[in-house]
Amino acid sequence: SYIMLTLGDTYTEFGAVGQDDRAANVTIDVSGDTVNTAVENYYYVQYRAMDDAGNLSNAVVRLVDVANFDGGTSDNISPQTG
């Protein structure tokens, strides 16, 4: 999944949900980057599920894009007339 945040926004980690057709308990391991919304960057948060038997799922990655989306100086450009 992809999340786009503007510098200074709040990032809330919602986690992930896993299910297994044979195991009652599934735990989710969250790893990867720590999202810092004060620094423009791409952050990758990885999720893996593990069942009671220790079987691991394939990793699922969330990309968090923190950038200055306010348009910068381009807001001050006016078209020429005449």
Side-chain angles (χ1 to χ4, degrees), residues 2-80:
Y2 176 79
I3 297 175
M4 183 172 64
L5 298 173
T6 300
L7 279 170
D9 280 353
T10 300
Y11 173 71
T12 302
E13 175 54 57
F14 291 108
V17 176
Q19 61 187 68
D20 187 304
D21 60 349
R22 296 186 186 152
N25 295 313
V26 175
T27 58
I28 304 295
D29 176 60
V30 180
S31 62
D33 298 328
T34 300
V35 177
N36 179 353
T37 62
V39 177
E40 284 187 90
N41 206 354
Y42 292 107
Y43 298 92
Y44 297 89
V45 183
Q46 178 176 288
Y47 306 89
R48 291 188 76 175
M50 184 171 65
D51 66 12
D52 292 334
N55 299 311
L56 285 173
S57 71
N58 292 327
V60 175
V61 176
R62 175 175 291 146
L63 171 61
V64 182
D65 181 3
V66 177
N68 185 5
F69 292 108
D70 69 1
T73 59
S74 63
D75 292 340
N76 299 324
I77 297 173
S78 300
Q80 290 185 338

